[in-house]
Amino acid sequence: MSSTAVPKRMALHRNTTESSAPSVSASPFDSPRQSPSSTSLSSMASDQENRSKMIDTYGNEFKMPDFTIKQIRDAIPAHCFHRSAITSLYYVFRDMTVLASVFYLFHNYVTPETVPSLPARVVLWGLYTVIQGLFGTGVWVLAHECGHQAFSPSKVLNDTVGWICHSLLLVPYFSWKISHGKHHKATGNLARDMVFVPKTRDEYASRIGKTIHDLSELMEETPIATALNMILQQLFGWPLYLIINVTGHNNHEKQPEGRGKGKANGWFGGVNHFDPRSPLYEARDAKYIALSDLGLGLTATALYFIGSNYGWMNLLVWYGIPYLWVNHWLVAITFLQHTDPTLPHYQPEAWNFARGAAATIDRDFGFVGRHILHGIIETHVLHHYVSNIPFYNADEASEAIKGVMGTHYRTEAHTGWTGFFKALWTSARACQWVEPTEGAQGESQSVLFYRNTNGIGVPPAKI
């Protein structure tokens, strides 16, 4: 199929930063070159001469951001950085109250005595699991705020609330917090990113038992196969990420202290979020990993008590299925924040913080996104610039940076909440692996874009 360029979307590229992360690391492996947003004009010109044309999946030309991180930060009103413990605790109280109230109402009023029809009770309890899953995800997001110290000015309060909220959802709070922080510091780096690292051409070919030369000739993947892969991702993606680091990088031998020697993703590979010896952590993190495990143990004990005394089927409906809904939303949100046909990824020699942090996108999920999921879908671009801005100030801060970013700000918000679901399917079909633009030279060879065998957009390079 020939390459077909579509009209550029509402916005294309944007540049982001973690407030506490330097744009250049001390290690040559961490950051091999300066950000174009902070280099001299002569250096920028030299970089430009060392690039050839770069094309995203849709056939649009990719350009590097041309503004500085300082410009972004200076554009954000000072009050947006203000964190209020009272405001944040209100949202925790609100969400927990809704979760408890919904359980109380259904437990007492959706019974055989009040609703004699079994099919009606099944439908109503199904609705219960959806509601609890959404508000449970909201609690997950508030704990995420704690992990980024966006919850309040107090680190003790942040980590206490985050540990409690995440533990109740069977999330190892400190373990996740540490690996998630590394994700923010290495977003878009194929060797170091911690979540939804795309397969390169040779990795994808190896997975399906083909050579890299075959990919441009392969038949289209069937919609049924795509759907099955999506179901598996949504059901098991989150626990498998915690247990075997699926979708995370597999470059552990280059981790600090040599903790990754001989360790690899996969079952019994020694890479997980529960073992202090995992290469995801350093020796000084051991006590935090143990504390995370303690939180999981306490919650698991409480769940065992409930199941033993009130019935395992009841526990499945009360907690188990809502837990799966939380996992679904978490994976869907994260997947779509970092997977889109317009997004680039970088080999280490071309990556730096400013470039990598630009590889994310905002979407819109309507009332649910803004008022139940606390804007985590709608303001993710800003979040990669300054992650300790609280969510209730994120809309204003996002608007403030758009004037600086211009066409580099990437969003799909104009598609609305239905576009969120459509994007799940589109990204699953279009984003199979990443490779450089065909014929790329110089630095452009290390900037990779999604390609697929499904005839969507630019075809795979001929090798």
Side-chain angles (χ1 to χ4, degrees), residues 217-223 225-226 429 432 452-456:
E217 309 296 336
L218 286 181
M219 297 292 290
E220 176 181 352
E221 181 180 81
T222 66
T226 302
R429 297 286 287 171
Q432 292 182 324
N452 61 84
T453 62
N454 293 323
I456 300 173

Side-chain angles (χ1 to χ4, degrees), residues 90-171:
Y90 156 74
Y91 282 104
V92 173
F93 175 79
R94 186 203 73 171
D95 288 359
M96 291 293 192
T97 299
V98 171
L99 288 167
S101 299
V102 170
F103 175 80
Y104 176 84
L105 290 173
F106 276 79
H107 181 63
N108 287 282
Y109 298 105
V110 185
T111 65
E113 294 75 23
T114 56
V115 184
S117 169
L118 176 61
R121 290 202 308 277
V122 169
V123 170
L124 288 172
W125 278 103
L127 176 63
Y128 161 90
T129 68
V130 173
I131 295 172
Q132 298 294 77
L134 285 171
F135 278 92
T137 306
V139 172
W140 203 108
V141 174
L142 293 175
H144 169 264
E145 292 270 297
C146 293
H148 283 291
Q149 305 304 308
F151 191 82
S152 81
S154 169
K155 187 175 185 298
V156 172
L157 177 62
N158 295 340
D159 286 341
T160 300
V161 173
W163 179 76
I164 293 171
C165 289
H166 263 175
S167 295
L168 290 173
L169 296 169
L170 291 178
V171 177

Side-chain angles (χ1 to χ4, degrees), residues 22 56-57 84 110 143 197 281 348 364 390 418:
D56 70 18
T57 310
S84 168
V110 185
V197 180
Y281 312 110
D364 184 84
T418 57

Side-chain angles (χ1 to χ4, degrees), residues 6-16 54-65 67 337 340-344 346 355 357-363 381 385 402 405-414 449:
V6 299
K8 292 195 175 183
R9 297 183 169 192
M10 189 176 225
L12 289 179
H13 313 302
R14 68 93 180 87
N15 182 10
T16 64
M54 296 171 285
I55 303 296
D56 70 18
T57 310
Y58 289 132
N60 299 315
E61 185 173 2
F62 175 77
K63 296 287 188 181
M64 297 291 184
F67 47 84
Q337 286 170 341
D340 186 82
T342 66
L343 293 176
Y346 300 89
R355 292 178 182 179
T360 188
I361 185 170
D362 283 349
R363 303 185 190 275
V381 170
Y385 277 101
K402 289 178 184 178
M405 299 179 70
T407 58
H408 296 287
Y409 171 74
R410 186 182 281 107
T411 181
E412 281 285 290
H414 58 286
F449 301 90

Side-chain angles (χ1 to χ4, degrees), residues 20 64 67 74 87 147 150 175 185 189 238 344 399 419 455:
S20 62
M64 297 291 184
F67 47 84
D74 288 348
T87 301
S175 306
K185 294 175 182 177
N189 187 320
W238 172 244
E399 287 299 318

